[in-house]
Structure formats: C-alpha cells, structure tokens
Amino acid sequence: MDTLNQILSINNGGAYGGGKAGGAFDPLTFAMKPQVVIRALCWLFSVVVFGCISSEGWTEKEGKEYCLYNGDGMACKYGNMVGVFGFLASMGFMGGEFLFERMSSVKSRKRYVMADMAFSAFWAFMYFVAFFYLWSQWSSAPPPPLGIGGGSMKTAIWFCLFSIVSWGLCALMAYKRFLIGAGDEFTSAFETDPANVVHQQAYGYSMDNDNDQYSASPFGQPQQGMEQQQSGMEYQQPTY
C-alpha cells in the first residue's frame, strides 16, 4: 500500500498538482515523475501488443489470410487498433506532461487533466475488452501450424492485461490531480469573495490564520467602556 501511495504521489507545488509555471527544466526530474514513468510503460505495453499481433498474428490458409485467434479477423484488427492508438496516445500524453509544467493558465491545466482522466479511463476499458476478447478466441482456437505464432499471441494477451493496470493508474493519477485543482479553486474563490471578506472583518476572524484563532470580539471594547462608566458613577442622595 505504501508503494502504491508513493507511485501516486503528486507534486502539488502549483495548480493541479504541477510545478510552478516558468521553472527550470530538469530532464532527470521529468523522467522520474510518476506520470511519465507510468505513461512510458503504457507506451511499451502498446508496442508489444500490436507488434506481436501484426508480426505473427496472421497466416495463410487456403490462399486467404487467417487470424490465429480462432480465425476471427476482427480479433486481430481490434488488438492492433488498441495497441496502435495506445502507442500514439502515450507519446502524446508524455509530450503533454512536458508542456503541463509550462502552462500558466489554470483553465488550460484543468482541461488537460480532464482529458487525461477521461481518455486513460476509456483506454483502460478498451484494453479490458481486448483482453477478454483475445483470450476467449485463443482458448477455442486450434494450434497454429508448426506452433509458429502461439507464443506471440499469448504475449499480446498478457500485455493487454498489464495495459489495463497501467492505463488505470494513469486515470487514477489524473483524478487525484483534478481533486487537488478543484480544492485549490474552491479555497481561492472563498478567500477572494468580497462578501466573505466583509464577514471576516465584521466578525473578527481571518482565513489566513493557520491556527484558526479568532481575534477579539467586536463587542469586547464597548462592553469594557460601559463597565468603566458604570464604575465611575457615584450614588448621590436625593435632597428634599
């Protein structure tokens, strides 16, 4: 559990868990970011999936192309499609992580985080479908001729499973970024609202105080003044 928390740890120095815009770029620090590492794994797994299927997933049978996944051409095409688009999307999001630190607009960061969260969750689902689709077809497929391609077909299925985990982690990290940004926006909007500032001044407290200590009551000084006036008054006996 601690290892998972370390993987999902996000630098919240800037808006939406990113660094301060305009900071110096350190290639090593960038390469060690959890988002970049997990995205690189997504890229690698996608290469393995479509590489195995495209290289050995097809054979000739009776003069026609035959998919080793039980002759289901859609299974090979779907596996290739998920792998290729996952490969391209991983490269695009790694470039997005590079630009994310340079986004000075909070709205731009919010759009990127929402796009990352939505696409990563959707592509994890696409790999989920690919895993069960390819596994069901392979389990009922006859052995390939001379056993050629069998290992690659099994490898593609396993890496579809690994891709479900990696893309799911990307979606989870994007969700945590979104929560950080939403919390910052709420706090900033509350503290800068003129109505809230007036209430803070009227009731003698400030949101900037880290210890949540309230200032003196606004009724304290008038009450003290009245007590002093009362103590200063002397009783005078009426005259008849």
Side-chain angles (χ1 to χ4, degrees), residues 180-200:
I180 292 173
D184 292 342
E185 286 184 352
F186 177 79
T187 303
S188 176
F190 183 84
E191 292 180 352
T192 56
D193 189 352
N196 292 328
V197 174
V198 172
H199 292 161
Q200 294 172 19

Side-chain angles (χ1 to χ4, degrees), residues 31-204:
M32 295 300 294
K33 288 179 58 177
Q35 292 87 352
V36 177
V37 173
I38 301 299
R39 196 68 70 181
L41 291 177
C42 293
W43 176 84
L44 177 62
F45 296 162
S46 298
V47 171
V48 174
V49 171
F50 81 78
C52 289
I53 296 176
S54 61
S55 62
E56 296 186 342
W58 297 90
T59 186
E60 289 189 4
K61 187 175 182 179
E62 298 178 355
K64 296 181 180 180
E65 288 188 342
Y66 179 83
C67 177
L68 294 183
Y69 288 114
N70 200 26
D72 187 354
M74 286 301 299
C76 289
K77 293 178 181 178
Y78 182 81
N80 271 329
M81 183 272 295
V82 173
V84 170
F85 280 97
F87 166 79
L88 296 175
S90 298
M91 293 183 62
F93 279 111
M94 281 193 285
E97 287 296 331
F98 174 77
L99 298 175
F100 184 78
E101 303 293 339
R102 286 153 181 76
M103 295 180 185
S104 57
S105 173
V106 177
K107 291 184 178 180
S108 298
R109 289 193 174 191
K110 181 179 181 180
R111 294 191 189 100
Y112 174 81
V113 169
M114 292 181 66
D116 184 8
M117 179 173 58
F119 185 86
S120 297
F122 175 69
W123 219 247
F125 172 76
M126 293 290 283
Y127 268 112
F128 178 81
V129 174
F131 171 74
F132 281 100
Y133 186 16
L134 300 182
W135 174 74
S136 63
Q137 293 298 326
W138 179 251
S139 61
S140 57
L146 303 177
I148 299 175
S152 296
M153 300 301 97
K154 295 178 182 178
T155 301
I157 295 173
W158 277 108
F159 275 85
C160 283
L161 178 61
F162 299 154
S163 295
I164 297 172
V165 178
S166 61
W167 283 95
L169 286 176
C170 289
L172 183 58
M173 287 188 291
Y175 177 68
K176 291 189 67 175
R177 271 182 167 178
F178 180 78
L179 292 181
I180 292 173
D184 292 342
E185 286 184 352
F186 177 79
T187 303
S188 176
F190 183 84
E191 292 180 352
T192 56
D193 189 352
N196 292 328
V197 174
V198 172
H199 292 161
Q200 294 172 19
Q201 294 175 352
Y203 290 97

Side-chain angles (χ1 to χ4, degrees), residues 215-226:
S215 60
S217 171
F219 305 103
Q221 294 181 355
Q223 290 179 355
Q224 294 178 359
M226 293 177 62

